[in-house]
Amino acid sequence: MLDLSDFVIRGRVWKFGDSVDTNVIAPLHVMRKGEIEEIAQHTMAAVRPEFPAQVRPGDIIVAGANFGCGSHREEANRVLEKVGIRAIVADSVARIFLRTSINLAYPTLVAPGVTSLVEEHDELEIDYPRGAIRVNWRCRNILLRWNRFLPQGES
């Protein structure tokens, strides 16, 4: 029998704004060297210089609208997995970035409004079976549904 607890992801939040493009995620000047390890040392550094050194396995990215926009390259998806990002939750995601995430079986979720509920370094829980996100913020849980087909009042 399938254990649904395997589909619950918990991690520390790294919060980003709107339109984080693939040149920020996987900088072209580093990609020309070709090694994912080298790209990992520079990922997201254009907007968060501390990110490559401080990201930990199991962390989660929460981002605004249009995450992963720009000229697409698969390395943008792969480098985030390489540095330990367990999942991405964004207000919206660029179509090709999302499609590549699906192809790679990399958890990338669209949850409109999530950035208004989450702060930097919050603990986030993504509950696939219930279609919910729980945020431990000021000692209370906030529930955001991305699956509108669940009955009202169920959490």
Side-chain angles (χ1 to χ4, degrees):
M1 178 177 226
L2 184 63
D3 182 4
L4 292 180
S5 67
D6 291 341
F7 294 98
V8 175
I9 297 171
R10 292 174 188 88
R12 175 183 69 150
V13 169
W14 284 86
K15 190 173 177 183
F16 291 88
D18 294 341
S19 300
V20 175
D21 67 42
T22 55
N23 289 322
V24 169
I25 302 167
L28 187 59
H29 73 280
V30 180
M31 279 188 40
R32 292 191 175 129
K33 297 176 184 174
E35 297 297 324
I36 197 77
E37 290 79 13
E38 180 71 19
I39 299 167
Q41 294 174 22
H42 300 275
T43 187
M44 308 299 258
V47 293
R48 299 284 297 276
E50 74 281 12
F51 183 83
Q54 294 180 8
V55 66
R56 299 186 311 229
D59 286 352
I60 297 172
I61 287 178
V62 173
N66 206 23
F67 185 84
C69 60
S71 57
H72 188 70
R73 48 192 78 105
E74 190 173 300
E75 291 86 353
N77 299 74
R78 290 189 182 280
V79 73
L80 293 175
E81 185 175 27
K82 174 71 178 169
V83 298
I85 294 296
R86 184 66 178 95
I88 299 165
V89 183
D91 290 331
S92 68
V93 178
R95 275 187 306 193
I96 195 158
F97 188 93
L98 183 59
R99 182 71 244 171
T100 302
S101 292
I102 292 167
N103 291 345
L104 297 172
Y106 188 60
T108 302
L109 307 167
V110 176
V114 69
T115 54
S116 66
L117 300 175
V118 177
E119 296 300 327
E120 184 76 10
H121 302 303
D122 277 348
E123 291 297 318
L124 191 69
E125 179 180 275
I126 302 167
D127 187 340
Y128 282 129
R130 293 184 183 265
I133 298 172
R134 291 180 192 86
V135 183
N136 183 8
W137 182 58
R138 294 187 186 160
C139 301
R140 62 185 178 128
N141 289 328
I142 299 170
L143 185 64
L144 174 68
R145 296 187 187 286
W146 64 76
N147 181 348
R148 297 177 197 257
F149 301 106
L150 287 176
Q152 287 291 339
E154 198 172 304
S155 57

